[in-house]
Amino acid sequence: MRIVRRNINARTGETLLMRAADGCTGRAGGASRARMAVDIPTVKRIAGLARIAISEDEAARLAPELGNILGRIEQLGEVDVSEVAPMTAVIPNHLRLRDDVVSDGDVRDKVLANAPQAEHGFFTVPKVIE
């Protein structure tokens, strides 16, 4: 087994290893979890769903790349976020909403006064489909 990358979890001090030989990611000490294998038919199905035409060679080249991407996503699942508050943005922001109040709304004549052409209380537009 050849170690490609060694990460240390700053919170727990645990060492995470990425192994090149078997394509697995895991914790130091032997416990590992196999990454999701992506085969050529799966790549072709994904390409078909995305409406992308790819050749057999391209599918063979993309299969390990997609496997690596899914492996990284699995690594994110191992991160302890139990004490992290959910957020919608990286900076604090507050929505400035207006009060939800009922207005008179009876301003049709004022609105239609700005229209180039109006009939019977409605905007009149040129016919598009003949």
Side-chain angles (χ1 to χ4, degrees):
M1 173 182 79
R2 182 173 61 104
I3 297 173
V4 175
R5 186 171 182 171
R6 180 181 305 225
N7 293 331
I8 297 176
N9 186 333
R11 186 168 176 194
T12 62
E14 224 175 4
T15 303
L16 299 172
L17 305 176
M18 174 166 285
R19 298 183 222 156
D22 58 3
C24 296
T25 60
R27 306 201 180 283
S32 67
R33 192 168 79 185
R35 92 175 165 209
M36 183 176 178
V38 178
D39 54 356
I40 294 175
T42 303
V43 172
K44 288 187 150 198
R45 175 151 170 73
I46 292 169
L49 291 171
R51 305 286 192 251
I52 300 172
I54 61 172
S55 67
E56 194 75 28
D57 294 336
E58 289 173 319
R61 183 180 54 81
L62 289 172
E65 289 183 27
L66 286 175
N68 288 337
I69 291 169
L70 292 175
R72 289 292 188 179
I73 293 170
E74 285 179 2
Q75 271 188 329
L76 290 174
E78 296 174 1
V79 176
D80 180 23
V81 294
S82 60
E83 295 181 18
V84 177
M87 57 186 213
T88 57
V90 295
I91 59 172
N93 58 1
H94 303 284
L95 295 176
R96 290 173 265 162
L97 301 175
R98 63 176 172 81
D99 292 333
D100 190 16
V101 294
V102 177
S103 64
D104 60 356
D106 191 23
V107 293
R108 180 173 65 177
D109 294 333
K110 289 181 184 177
V111 172
L112 289 176
N114 293 324
Q117 190 175 11
E119 287 182 18
H120 309 293
F122 296 101
F123 288 97
T124 305
V125 294
K127 189 175 183 179
V128 177
I129 301 174
E130 295 184 30

